[in-house]
Amino acid sequence: MENIYIINTHSHANMLKDTNIDEAMYNARENHIITIVPASTAEDIFDVDKFIQKYEDVYGYVGVFPEEAKTFSDKTLQNMETIIKSNKKIIGIGEIGLDYYWDKSLKELQKEIFIKQIDFANQMNLPLNIHSREAHQDTLEILKKYNKNSTAILHCFSGSLEFAKECIKEGIYIALGGVVTFKNAIKAKEVAANIPIEYLLLETDDPYLAPVPFRGKENQPLYVKYVAEEIARLRETTTEEIAQATTMNAMKIF
Ligand code: NI
């Protein structure tokens, strides 16, 4: 793995608590890991803007998470545009999407804010990093109907293999993280083993969902290599090949 890069397409490295952030970013970089940090709230976009300027090999997305739909306003879009124009390291819109797990009452508002941010990404010609939880069918329908020219990535993909294939048919990429290393994650393992490698991406979603052997502890960007290792095992190939293929996929998108 000496000279092979891994692109970690979703890491909230700015939210690490138990881990020293400078050290975590240094270790990631030393191990040839490029990290992309999404925003979650209308305020968080400013943090991400600052955070990614502080570290090398770290890029970002701006966007408002479905649970935070209430914090979104037209001013948010203006702020996002200002940041995109001043910071070349912003390379996508995220994390945006739908989450029906926590609060179903916000369904309509979530959809409205999701669509607004898809339109915005289309105007900016930037890819989408999408969070979808218990909202798979609505997410795909909205993308089919409203997304014109942005490449879409489903982050922390939690659907079935069948649904993954349906998404890939639409040109949507599938990003897998630490869950794939969990013993009982049968669906995620099946997706990892069987989707066309051209549509596979890696991520951590740290500080959450640390892969085995760190399950239950705080996750960090470096641990994306355990995700790559497990996917290599499932596909009966080498970690190098998974790293290389997923990095090529990410380079195509960004
Ligand atoms: Ni996330």
Side-chain angles (χ1 to χ4, degrees):
M1 293 285 290
E2 279 299 285
N3 292 306
I4 301 174
Y5 281 82
I6 294 183
I7 301 185
N8 182 345
T9 59
H10 192 116
S11 150
H12 302 276
N14 56 331
M15 294 183 186
L16 294 176
K17 284 198 179 75
D18 308 337
T19 314
N20 180 293
I21 293 181
D22 286 341
E23 245 169 64
M25 301 326 286
Y26 177 82
N27 289 334
R29 189 158 185 261
E30 280 290 288
N31 285 279
H32 292 125
I33 288 154
I34 293 167
T35 307
I36 313 178
V37 179
S40 336
T41 71
E43 287 305 311
D44 196 30
I45 60 175
F46 302 106
D47 290 344
V48 169
D49 178 29
K50 266 189 243 143
F51 184 83
I52 64 174
Q53 293 185 59
K54 196 174 160 194
Y55 299 102
E56 272 181 86
D57 290 341
V58 178
Y59 298 83
Y61 310 122
V62 284
V64 174
F65 186 72
E67 283 301 289
E68 295 288 337
K70 279 182 193 155
T71 70
F72 185 92
S73 69
D74 289 341
K75 181 81 182 135
T76 315
L77 282 186
Q78 288 168 25
N79 291 337
M80 279 160 61
E81 187 168 349
T82 306
I83 292 172
I84 290 164
K85 289 191 168 147
S86 68
N87 185 349
K88 293 221 153 35
K89 293 176 87 182
I90 298 289
I91 56 173
I93 304 301
E95 61 184 295
I96 64 171
L98 302 173
D99 191 322
Y100 298 163
Y101 179 76
W102 293 107
D103 192 351
K104 289 184 176 60
S105 67
L106 287 174
K107 257 188 186 179
E108 290 313 310
L109 181 65
Q110 285 189 23
K111 282 187 196 171
E112 186 192 318
I113 304 310
F114 184 31
I115 293 165
K116 274 191 182 164
Q117 293 184 93
I118 293 171
D119 284 343
F120 176 72
N122 286 174
Q123 282 166 39
M124 297 287 125
N125 203 17
L126 286 170
L128 301 160
N129 196 263
I130 297 165
H131 171 104
S132 171
R133 190 163 183 200
E134 296 195 357
H136 292 138
Q137 221 49 55
D138 280 3
T139 304
L140 183 58
E141 265 162 40
I142 286 175
L143 284 171
K144 275 189 186 169
K145 194 162 167 198
Y146 296 95
N147 182 27
K148 294 185 193 82
N149 53 282
S150 295
T151 305
I153 301 164
L154 287 182
H155 120 78
C156 197
F157 185 82
S158 57
S160 63
L161 175 59
E162 197 192 347
F163 184 66
K165 285 180 177 165
E166 220 182 303
C167 293
I168 289 168
K169 233 186 271 164
E170 300 300 319
I172 298 168
Y173 285 76
I174 306 294
L176 296 174
V179 172
V180 86
T181 68
F182 299 173
K183 216 175 182 177
N184 55 353
I186 296 160
K187 260 201 307 189
K189 286 187 198 291
E190 199 186 7
V191 169
N194 293 296
I195 61 168
I197 200 159
E198 293 77 17
Y199 284 92
L200 177 67
L201 295 168
L202 304 177
E203 64 166 55
T204 46
D205 203 16
D206 59 83
Y208 319 105
L209 298 169
V212 174
F214 300 102
R215 189 172 181 182
K217 302 216 174 76
E218 186 166 79
N219 198 358
Q220 58 173 287
L222 176 66
Y223 295 169
V224 72
K225 65 181 192 179
Y226 298 99
V227 177
E229 273 172 21
E230 175 62 10
I231 294 176
R233 194 186 67 78
L234 291 163
R235 297 182 75 102
E236 295 175 12
T237 180
T238 61
T239 308
E240 283 81 356
E241 197 191 305
I242 297 299
Q244 232 157 12
T246 53
T247 293
M248 247 170 39
N249 297 342
M251 302 281 278
K252 234 197 267 172
I253 301 170
F254 301 113

